[in-house]
């Protein structure tokens, strides 16, 4: 009995919600796991729309779609009854036309895929077709349910942002093989109005990411491996991390993402953010309640706002010019440049400064190897839609204390610019145009905005260079001084903050130089600039590397 008890306990825990710590390349479960029931409830709350009206619509429409899907599934399971003569006569009397008959037959075929997905003997040979059929069934029933609620005042709003998901193969996947028994897929959102059943007069879907991909897509994987969906193994983390890295690399406007993990007869939803992967409890698809939970979650995600699914609303793809329109904060900005945010802040310091819109090339200069962590990306940008790209836009998620905000790169560059301008220095350095914290719906974009209450469970690491404040105990009151010192030396509460800045000019990497004379001249100019910054601004860089020393075009022209 003593030998089998731990195994039984582990098997029962594996059905619950859990969190995977991804910080520091440690794909493991920390010992301080949150309460599984509370974590699962909070994750499912995050899958509901943010708007109260849309959330109410999801609660109302979800059961209707679930009932329709369950009716098809029960009909497939009762195939012997359906083949009876009496059943055929009743069915024929119910169908009004050949079109209706074809549509019902198609729904039955799609429902067979859902039943097949629940089969414990399902293999990884052709799961992608099965998954695509399941998404097609859910999308078709959702369209019908929303048409039935067309008279509702909320329906017009729903159809403006409502979406259906269509699964497709992850073409960039390198793990999609029969040997791994894992198939990666992505559920790409499509607007409801773009469906052919909506009529010829329906407006075309605004495909804002037609060339780059949708940031509000669902990352997914199907596996028959027993360890890949278990929390106490690295299988699930490895595949999710690899899939998330590919998803974010091709989509510049990704803040976080939702994933669906399917195994024969079971499903889990995952929230992937900068430092952890939060996984819901296992849903048993062989039960009626489990299938209803899957359908209702699909409806909730279909009615969610795009930023709720992980898309950055401050980045919009402009197909007419082939660039991204990116809002850069103006918390700190160049007073000599035309930054409307600075003027707005002077008029009313209580209001958030207006962002400055820059136009970014789709191909990045630099993308971090992994989404998890800072996920730094750099792009070339222009001040006007068709202007010359003479700026570098840097976007990253920085880990900072919750209450204290130490000087980051934006604050340092702002101080350097002010003091170098005051000294009328001619040194060349990255001149900050504007920068600050990205805002979503006038709210600072932090991990709390993404995770809500789940943010309390994420175990953060102390950022590089951060030193905890220390205070000597008060000699007059030993007990009070000890208590103050204990509070001062406690680990800080850390949070990811979405920071973005634009600076210029654009430099050329040292690796692109063609002669030793060019390299020596550029390094000499860099040394002079660093000396000027140290003399006038009392700031020393202290991180000299190949990536941090760039050659300006003006320097190359002098050679």
């Amino acid at each position: 009995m003593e030998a089998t008890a731990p195994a039984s306990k582990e098997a029962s825990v594996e059905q619950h919600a859990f969190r995977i710590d991804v910080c520091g390349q440690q794909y493991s479960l920390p010992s301080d796991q949150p309460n599984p029931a509370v974590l699962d409830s909070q994750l499912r709350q995050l899958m509901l729309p943010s708007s109260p009206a849309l959330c109410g619509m999801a609660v109302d429409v979800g059961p209707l779609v679930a009932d329709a899907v369950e009716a098809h599934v029960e009909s497939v399971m009762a195939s012997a009854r359906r083949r009876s003569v009496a059943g055929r006569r009743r069915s024929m009397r119910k169908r009004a036309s050949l079109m209706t008959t074809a549509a019902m037959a198609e729904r039955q075929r799609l429902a067979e895929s859902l039943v097949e997905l629940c089969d414990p003997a399902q293999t990884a040979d052709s799961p992608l077709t099965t998954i695509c059929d399941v998404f097609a069934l859910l999308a078709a029933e959702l369209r019908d349910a929303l048409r039935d609620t067309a008279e509702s005042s909320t329906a017009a709003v729903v159809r403006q942002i409502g979406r259906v998901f269509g699964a497709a193969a992850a073409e960039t996947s390198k793990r999609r093989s029969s040997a791994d028994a894992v198939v990666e897929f992505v559920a790409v959102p499509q607007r409801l109005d773009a469906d052919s059943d909506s009529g010829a007069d329906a407006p075309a879907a605004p495909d804002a990411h037609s060339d780059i991909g949708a940031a509000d897509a669902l990352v997914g994987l199907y596996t028959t491996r027993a360890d890949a969906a278990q929390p106490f193994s690295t299988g699930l983390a490895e595949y999710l991390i690899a899939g998330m890295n590919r998803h974010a690399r091709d989509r510049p406007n990704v803040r976080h993402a939702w994933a669906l993990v399917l195994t024969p007869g079971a499903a889990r939803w995952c929230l992937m953010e900068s430092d952890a992967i939060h996984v819901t409890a296992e849903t048993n698809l062989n039960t009626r309640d489990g299938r209803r939970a899957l359908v209702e979650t699909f409806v909730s995600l279909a009615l969610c706002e795009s930023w709720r699914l992980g898309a950055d609303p401050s980045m919009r793809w402009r197909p007419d010019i082939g660039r991204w329109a990116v809002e850069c904060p103006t918390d700190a900005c160049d007073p000599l440049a035309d930054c409307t945010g600075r003027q707005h802040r002077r008029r009313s310091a209580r209001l958030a400064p207006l962002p400055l819109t820059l136009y970014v090339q789709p191909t990045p200069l630099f993308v971090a190897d992994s989404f998890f962590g800072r996920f730094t990306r750099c792009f070339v940008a222009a001040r006007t839609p068709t202007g010359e790209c003479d700026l570098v836009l840097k976007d990253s998620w920085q880990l900072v204390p919750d209450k204290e905000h130490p000087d980051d790169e934006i604050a340092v560059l702002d101080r350097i610019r002010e003091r170098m301008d005051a000294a009328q220095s001619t040194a060349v350095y990255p001149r900050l145009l504007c920068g600050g914290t990205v805002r979503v719906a006038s709210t600072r974009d932090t991990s709390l905005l993404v995770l809500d209450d789940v943010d309390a469970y994420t175990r953060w690491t102390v950022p590089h260079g951060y030193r905890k404040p220390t205070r000597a105990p008060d000699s007059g009151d030993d007990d009070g001084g000890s208590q103050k010192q204990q509070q001062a030396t406690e680990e800080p509460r850390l949070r990811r903050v979405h920071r973005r800045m634009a600076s210029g000019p654009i430099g050329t990497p040292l690796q692109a130089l063609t002669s030793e004379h060019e390299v020596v001249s550029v390094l000499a100019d860099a040394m002079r600039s660093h000396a000027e910054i140290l003399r006038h601004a009392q700031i020393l860089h202290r991180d000299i590397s190949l990536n941090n020393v760039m050659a300006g075009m003006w320097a190359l022209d002098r050679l």
Side-chain angles (χ1 to χ4, degrees):
M1 291 296 293
E2 296 180 358
T4 59
S8 301
K9 181 179 180 181
E10 179 176 313
S12 62
V13 171
E14 288 172 355
Q15 310 300 323
H16 297 162
F18 59 91
R19 187 190 73 246
I20 302 175
D21 184 11
V22 192
C23 241
Q25 304 296 322
Q26 298 176 356
Y27 310 151
S28 60
L29 291 168
S31 57
D32 53 341
Q33 279 289 302
N35 181 279
V38 176
L39 176 61
D40 184 71
S41 174
Q42 292 176 341
L43 288 175
R44 298 188 185 278
Q45 285 293 324
L46 289 179
M47 287 186 281
L48 290 171
S50 177
S51 168
L54 295 176
C55 184
M57 177 65 75
V59 173
D60 294 339
V61 174
L64 299 179
V65 179
D67 290 340
V69 172
E70 190 62 25
H72 293 301
V73 171
E74 291 178 353
S75 179
V76 171
M77 292 180 175
S79 57
R81 232 176 17 250
R82 280 202 333 270
R83 286 197 297 266
S84 65
V85 175
R88 286 203 305 269
R89 290 176 179 173
R90 287 194 301 270
S91 179
M92 292 303 294
R93 286 196 301 267
K94 186 176 180 180
R95 296 166 183 167
S97 64
L98 182 60
M99 181 64 69
T100 305
T101 302
M104 292 183 64
E106 179 64 14
R107 302 288 172 88
Q108 292 295 314
R109 185 190 69 81
L110 298 177
E112 292 177 359
S113 297
L114 180 56
V115 175
E116 182 180 355
L117 190 66
C118 300
D119 187 2
Q122 173 77 10
T123 63
D125 295 334
S126 59
L128 184 58
T129 302
T130 303
I131 294 171
C132 290
D133 290 346
V134 172
F135 274 96
L137 174 63
L138 299 179
E141 295 299 339
L142 176 58
R143 291 190 185 98
D144 291 346
L146 289 180
R147 290 194 191 99
D148 294 339
T149 59
E151 297 179 357
S152 173
S153 59
T154 313
V157 181
V158 171
R159 298 193 67 81
Q160 291 296 322
I161 68 170
R163 58 182 64 81
V164 292
F165 296 95
E171 297 179 357
T172 58
S173 173
K174 297 181 180 179
R175 292 177 174 268
R176 187 169 174 263
S177 64
S178 57
D180 290 336
V182 173
V183 175
E184 292 187 14
F185 64 93
V186 57
V188 181
Q190 299 174 351
R191 295 295 294 255
L192 290 168
D193 291 335
D195 183 57
S196 58
D197 294 339
S198 299
D201 296 335
D207 193 3
H209 315 282
S210 57
D211 298 330
I212 298 181
D216 48 350
L218 302 178
V219 182
L221 63 88
Y222 176 88
T223 178
T224 56
R225 287 177 43 177
D227 64 329
Q230 295 177 359
F232 297 100
S233 69
T234 59
L236 177 63
E238 290 176 354
Y239 287 106
L240 286 175
I241 289 171
M244 184 61 192
N245 288 339
R246 283 188 287 270
H247 175 73
R249 176 174 289 273
D250 298 334
R251 298 166 176 84
N253 58 332
V254 168
R255 298 167 64 244
H256 63 277
W258 288 94
L260 175 62
V261 179
L262 292 171
T263 55
R268 290 182 186 267
W269 294 95
C270 309
L271 172 60
M272 297 184 288
E273 49 90 21
S274 298
D275 295 285
I277 300 176
H278 309 267
V279 188
T280 66
E282 185 178 88
T283 300
N284 187 359
L285 300 181
N286 287 301
T287 64
R288 180 185 180 91
D289 292 340
R291 292 190 293 269
R292 291 183 63 88
L294 177 67
V295 175
E296 292 178 358
T297 302
F298 175 89
V299 173
S300 298
L301 295 176
L303 300 180
C304 269
E305 300 84 352
S306 60
W307 68 267
R308 191 78 162 179
L309 298 181
D312 188 348
S314 64
M315 299 183 67
R316 302 180 306 278
W317 175 245
R318 290 281 303 274
D320 54 334
I321 60 176
R323 293 181 179 181
W324 287 94
V326 182
E327 297 178 358
C328 188
T330 54
D331 301 342
C333 70
D334 190 349
L336 302 179
D338 183 15
C339 296
T340 57
R342 183 97 175 184
Q343 299 170 2
H344 190 134
R345 185 176 60 178
R346 287 175 177 174
R347 288 198 307 267
S348 177
R350 294 176 299 174
L351 299 178
L354 295 176
L356 178 65
T357 301
L358 301 176
Y359 300 90
V360 173
Q361 294 284 0
T363 304
L365 287 174
F366 170 81
V367 179
D369 294 334
S370 176
F371 165 82
F372 300 94
R374 292 175 63 95
F375 192 44
T376 301
R377 295 156 298 164
C378 298
F379 306 87
V380 292
R383 292 175 173 86
T384 59
T386 58
E388 179 184 359
C389 293
D390 58 349
L391 298 172
V392 175
L393 185 75
K394 183 176 181 180
D395 187 284
S396 64
W397 285 81
Q398 301 178 12
L399 193 62
V400 299
D402 189 18
K403 297 182 179 179
E404 302 176 15
H405 297 283
D407 289 344
D408 61 354
E409 185 178 10
I410 297 176
V412 171
L413 289 178
D414 190 29
R415 188 183 313 145
I416 290 176
R417 186 199 61 232
E418 290 180 355
R419 297 185 180 181
M420 296 292 278
D421 287 349
Q424 297 182 353
S425 174
T426 59
V428 177
Y429 57 92
R431 185 180 182 88
L432 180 70
L433 175 67
C434 58
T437 301
V438 179
R439 296 180 180 272
V440 176
S442 301
T443 304
R444 297 173 68 251
D445 194 10
T446 68
S447 56
L448 181 61
L449 183 61
V450 175
L451 299 174
D452 201 23
D453 292 336
V454 182
D455 179 75
Y457 295 129
T458 305
R459 184 183 66 177
W460 306 117
T461 58
V462 177
H464 176 70
Y466 177 77
R467 298 179 180 178
K468 295 182 295 184
T470 57
R471 182 189 304 175
D474 189 357
S475 59
D477 186 0
D478 294 339
D479 295 337
S482 301
Q483 184 177 3
K484 293 179 181 179
Q485 184 181 22
Q486 182 179 3
Q487 294 177 355
T489 57
E490 289 180 353
E491 290 290 340
R493 175 65 183 152
L494 304 175
R495 180 164 289 133
R496 290 281 175 187
V497 179
H498 191 186
R499 302 281 281 174
R500 184 178 294 160
M501 72 174 191
S503 61
I506 299 177
T508 301
L510 295 181
Q511 297 89 328
L513 301 182
T514 58
S515 67
E516 294 180 358
H517 179 61
E518 291 180 347
V519 175
V520 172
S521 299
V522 169
L523 290 179
D525 287 338
M527 293 173 64
R528 284 193 292 269
S529 297
H530 279 276
E532 286 285 303
I533 294 173
L534 179 61
R535 183 159 62 99
H536 296 298
Q538 291 77 48
I539 294 176
L540 184 63
H541 194 286
R542 299 191 303 171
D543 186 16
I544 306 300
S545 65
L546 288 177
N547 294 329
N548 289 336
V549 178
M550 310 290 284
M553 296 305 298
W554 66 274
L556 297 179
D557 293 339
R558 294 187 308 167
L559 300 177

